[in-house]
Amino acid sequence: MSTVLDTSTVERVEDKVGESMWSKAAYKFRRDRTGMMGLSVVAFYMLIALGVALGLWGTEWSDNNGQKWEGISSQYWFGTNILGQDIFERAIFSTKTAFEVGLVVAVISTLIGAILGALSGFFSNTWIDEIILWVMGVLDSIPFYLFVAAIAFALSGFSYSMHVAMIATFWTTTSRLVRGEVIKLKNFEFVEAARAVGVPQHIIIFRHILPNTFHILLVQSTIVFVGAIKSEVILSFLGLGVKDGVSWGLMIAESTLEVQAGEFANFYAASALLFILVMAFNMFSDALQDALDPKKVSA
Amino acid sequence: METLQYTLRKLVTGIPLILGVTLISFTLMVHFGPDKTYDLLGKNPTQEQITEVRHQLGYDKSFVVRYTQYLKELATMNFGYSDSSGEKVSSILIRTMPVSLALILPGFVLGNLFGVILALIAAYHRGHWIDKIIMGVSVMGMSVSFLIVIIAFQVIFSSSQGLDLFPVRGWDVYSFTDYIHYVTVPTLASIFVSLGYNTRFYRAVIVEEMGRDHVRTAKAFGAHPIELLFKSVLKNSLIPIITRIMFSIPLVVISGSLLLESYFGIPGVGKVTYDAILSGDQPILKAVVGLTAIMFVFTLIINDILYKVVDPRISLK
């Protein structure tokens, strides 16, 4: 009796967490310390952003109550900017802007990338594939900032023109990855079986094949999220980005004048918050990739 | 002969790509772009004046006519005169392109070179603390925004609050010392920003190559580790490395320099194009976008030919 108990304590990872790819990945991810740290920082930022969206804090971002360039005090945690606005409030409000840009761009570009990538992979070497590949090739060969600037003008006045431009350029990478995976998957037995019992083609593509690329979509959407937040900063600085509200990019853009006068509070606040979020997201994304990609050898 | 045939065939397949890029950019930048009619007119213009200016700018012609006109200009490389300054577009480009290249090239070359070197060091010490430090710093480097790096470096190296060693902005280059004087800070910024991405990418490529059978065999035969790294690993990882470098060339030349040029006030192609978008200077936009598309297609072709040179197993079909 005791020997039976002894062998059961020597359990394999598979016994403990189950056989599915997702439970294995979750197990692997939870043991990844940098990844968990990244995730908790991202979650904390998300809470801040959620609070701003619900109007709990960050509501006084546009009030200029203070004097120009006040120092750090209990009232103004990060001091005030050139207009006497509370930098802390503005930095907090910008968190919401960053999450809004990141989420909108990541979700929509992943959706487009998934659908078009699946179609182009499933119908590879047909005219559908040719057309989708052509569109991707075209979008990839237009310089990004020029493209954004052009879209901003074409959709002048539309406050989401930056989002549109980012989505239009970011989906192609996702789509290429999904296409490659679908080409591999469509020759598997489960697809053949589905076809044999007469499952309609669109159901095979979107219900049988596409869910199997979900790990790619998940990782790719975190990468797009980071890309969107970073591009927002540069676009806002160039005057092509966020139109209403405030963002870290706009804060850095206004800080360029202050920096010349030796006032760094605005620049530090926006840069630090941006850096920590992007860094945490990169760590989270790396851990996710390690956990989900069975082929990838970690470190 | 085979290579020539291959090149020609690739050129033909590149045509739809050029057509697509020019069509999309033409629609966005020219068709929906800013209307310059009223910039060129005085106050209270008459209807005739308006029609005349619109005719001069070509606004009264149909989309198809204007687009084919553009393609003709692209084929003959004759883009006419800038709407804003009246200068010939080709002479603007000839003046600004060398500036952009001179600005971008050192950072691009050094960023990739250091990337490969660091990646080799990291991969060689894989799993060791040296590897961990290099990769950790790379992720940190990747997380800093280009804009922040530019501002910080300008403050540190060029402003009176910092070291005050280099000019804050501008481009008065008449000699090599002038060039070094103006190019250093932008170069440092672009190396800093690209290094993290490059190192990570190249390390992944090299680590994958190190796991291959021929490397293990060479190791078993007692090949010297450094020789192994350069001969068996680096040489075989050249394809992804070349691809990455080649594909970034067309975009680096224009997009990459845009931010640097507008922040440091350097009169290069990026700045000129950016101003052209904002003011609706269509001849310049048409030239830049068309040339970028053509450059992209040529890059694809050169890339495929380089594959062949690097790896004789690849057939030109």
Side-chain angles (χ1 to χ4, degrees):
Chain A
M1 195 61 201
S2 63
T3 47
V4 175
L5 273 176
D6 278 343
T7 48
S8 69
T9 49
V10 191
E11 29 182 17
R12 291 175 304 143
V13 169
E14 280 79 5
D15 298 333
K16 201 160 39 181
V17 295
E19 286 289 346
S20 99
M21 176 188 133
W22 289 102
S23 49
K24 267 186 209 161
Y27 176 77
K28 215 169 159 189
F29 185 82
R30 269 199 303 272
R31 288 180 19 145
D32 191 325
R33 245 177 295 153
T34 39
M36 285 304 277
M37 209 164 78
L39 180 63
S40 38
V41 173
V42 172
F44 179 66
Y45 268 84
M46 206 146 152
L47 273 180
I48 296 177
L50 216 63
V52 174
L54 295 172
L56 296 179
W57 44 69
T59 47
E60 289 172 22
W61 63 272
S62 65
D63 303 351
N64 26 351
N65 300 326
Q67 300 296 309
K68 174 176 163 181
W69 293 330
E70 273 186 54
I72 292 169
S73 63
S74 59
Q75 194 189 355
Y76 304 114
W77 289 9
F78 292 165
T80 59
N81 68 1
I82 194 166
L83 297 171
Q85 293 163 322
D86 188 342
I87 292 174
F88 180 73
E89 290 276 319
R90 292 172 77 75
I92 291 297
F93 188 88
S94 302
T95 313
K96 189 207 101 180
T97 315
F99 265 86
E100 189 189 284
V101 173
L103 278 179
V104 168
V105 173
V107 169
I108 301 181
S109 66
T110 307
L111 269 178
I112 299 177
I115 294 172
L116 292 183
L119 285 176
S120 126
F122 192 79
F123 298 109
S124 56
N125 296 321
T126 66
W127 60 272
I128 299 177
D129 183 36
E130 290 288 327
I131 288 179
I132 295 175
L133 280 178
W134 175 74
V135 171
M136 294 197 288
V138 166
L139 288 175
D140 284 344
S141 26
I142 305 177
F144 177 61
Y145 294 110
L146 298 187
F147 190 52
V148 178
I151 287 188
F153 254 107
L155 303 171
S156 50
F158 180 57
S159 51
Y160 286 97
S161 53
M162 172 184 71
H163 301 63
V164 172
M166 285 195 209
I167 291 165
T169 41
F170 288 169
W171 68 269
T172 55
T173 318
T174 312
S175 183
R176 281 183 207 281
L177 292 172
V178 171
R179 176 176 181 272
E181 188 73 8
V182 169
I183 289 179
K184 206 173 76 193
L185 286 168
K186 73 175 181 181
N187 295 319
F188 275 35
E189 278 107 349
F190 72 94
V191 177
E192 210 176 309
R195 214 183 305 220
V197 295
V199 179
Q201 214 162 40
H202 62 275
I203 293 187
I204 295 183
I205 300 174
F206 293 112
R207 294 278 292 279
H208 293 221
I209 297 181
L210 198 54
N212 285 301
T213 64
F214 191 72
H215 59 289
I216 295 179
L217 299 178
L218 193 65
V219 170
Q220 197 55 33
S221 60
T222 59
I223 293 173
V224 170
F225 192 105
V226 174
I229 293 179
K230 288 181 74 179
S231 305
E232 182 274 322
V233 171
I234 290 170
L235 293 173
S236 294
F237 171 75
L238 292 173
L240 301 166
V242 173
K243 296 284 183 330
D244 30 46
V246 65
S247 75
W248 292 322
L250 287 175
M251 286 175 71
I252 294 173
E254 40 177 61
S255 80
T256 52
L257 283 175
E258 303 179 353
V259 164
Q260 281 161 19
E263 292 292 331
F264 292 100
N266 213 0
F267 177 66
Y268 285 152
S271 316
L273 283 176
L274 172 71
F275 172 72
I276 294 169
L277 177 60
V278 173
M279 177 94 189
F281 230 106
N282 276 333
M283 278 158 39
F284 167 57
S285 177
D286 282 350
L288 209 58
Q289 272 175 65
D290 285 341
L292 284 170
D293 189 347
K295 272 176 298 181
K296 190 176 169 187
V297 209
S298 49
Chain B
M1 191 57 215
E2 200 194 356
T3 317
L4 184 70
Q5 259 184 354
Y6 177 72
T7 313
L8 285 176
R9 204 167 49 231
K10 275 275 163 184
L11 268 177
V12 173
T13 50
I15 289 174
L17 196 63
I18 293 180
L19 283 178
V21 175
T22 49
L23 183 65
I24 290 189
S25 356
F26 181 83
T27 315
L28 279 174
M29 296 182 189
V30 179
H31 192 67
F32 289 110
D35 189 326
K36 278 189 84 78
T37 315
Y38 297 97
D39 296 350
L40 297 178
L41 285 166
K43 273 186 182 163
N44 304 324
T46 61
Q47 191 56 47
E48 287 85 63
Q49 282 172 317
I50 293 178
T51 358
E52 202 200 307
V53 168
R54 293 188 74 81
H55 180 72
Q56 267 177 18
L57 291 168
Y59 289 176
D60 53 349
K61 296 194 196 85
S62 76
F63 181 83
V64 180
V65 173
R66 289 174 71 193
Y67 181 62
T68 36
Q69 178 78 32
Y70 169 40
L71 289 181
K72 225 176 278 165
E73 287 171 8
L74 196 60
T76 54
M77 289 290 155
N78 174 20
F79 296 101
Y81 298 88
S82 157
D83 284 349
S84 307
S85 62
E87 201 182 342
K88 213 167 180 222
V89 172
S90 48
S91 70
I92 293 181
L93 291 181
I94 288 169
R95 181 165 45 95
T96 54
M97 270 190 172
V99 175
S100 287
L101 270 181
L103 174 68
I104 279 296
L105 216 55
F108 184 67
V109 172
L110 291 176
N112 280 298
L113 193 68
F114 292 160
V116 172
I117 293 172
L118 283 175
L120 280 171
I121 296 173
Y124 183 73
H125 297 285
R126 187 173 158 206
H128 201 244
W129 59 270
I130 297 177
D131 179 30
K132 283 186 183 138
I133 288 179
I134 291 180
M135 293 332 283
V137 174
S138 295
V139 177
M140 273 168 75
M142 279 168 61
S143 307
V144 190
S145 169
F146 195 15
L147 185 59
I148 295 174
V149 175
I150 292 178
I151 296 175
F153 277 33
Q154 200 187 44
V155 169
I156 295 171
F157 293 108
S158 310
S159 79
S160 49
Q161 289 138 22
L163 300 170
D164 206 2
L165 290 175
F166 299 100
V168 175
R169 47 190 289 122
W171 189 262
D172 277 322
V173 175
Y174 298 102
S175 66
F176 188 67
T177 36
D178 287 349
Y179 174 56
I180 296 294
H181 206 47
Y182 280 100
V183 89
T184 307
V185 180
T187 301
L188 287 176
S190 49
I191 293 176
F192 186 97
V193 162
S194 61
L195 202 53
Y197 288 97
N198 289 340
T199 309
R200 261 171 73 107
F201 179 83
Y202 295 140
R203 179 186 174 276
V205 170
I206 291 167
V207 163
E208 197 186 331
E209 202 59 44
M210 279 169 90
R212 295 204 193 282
D213 291 345
H214 70 270
V215 178
R216 202 180 49 203
T217 311
K219 212 183 271 173
F221 274 92
H224 190 268
I226 301 287
E227 195 190 307
L228 190 78
L229 203 58
F230 281 92
K231 260 195 170 163
S232 313
V233 176
L234 187 60
K235 221 173 155 193
N236 278 300
S237 16
L238 275 179
I239 285 200
I241 294 178
I242 288 177
T243 314
R244 182 179 171 85
I245 293 176
M246 290 299 290
F247 273 90
S248 36
I249 287 175
L251 302 182
V252 155
V253 169
I254 293 189
S255 307
S257 50
L258 171 59
L259 197 60
L260 282 176
E261 284 170 16
S262 59
Y263 200 82
F264 288 97
I266 295 166
V269 182
K271 181 100 172 55
V272 166
T273 318
Y274 182 67
D275 292 343
I277 293 173
L278 296 185
S279 66
D281 198 336
Q282 295 178 356
I284 291 183
L285 285 181
K286 289 192 222 165
V288 170
V289 168
L291 291 176
T292 317
I294 292 173
M295 215 153 81
F296 210 87
V297 170
F298 274 101
T299 310
L300 288 175
I301 297 167
I302 296 171
N303 199 39
D304 284 345
I305 295 172
L306 276 181
Y307 280 175
K308 169 83 180 158
V309 174
V310 172
D311 188 347
R313 286 170 308 180
I314 293 175
S315 70
L316 296 177
K317 276 194 183 135

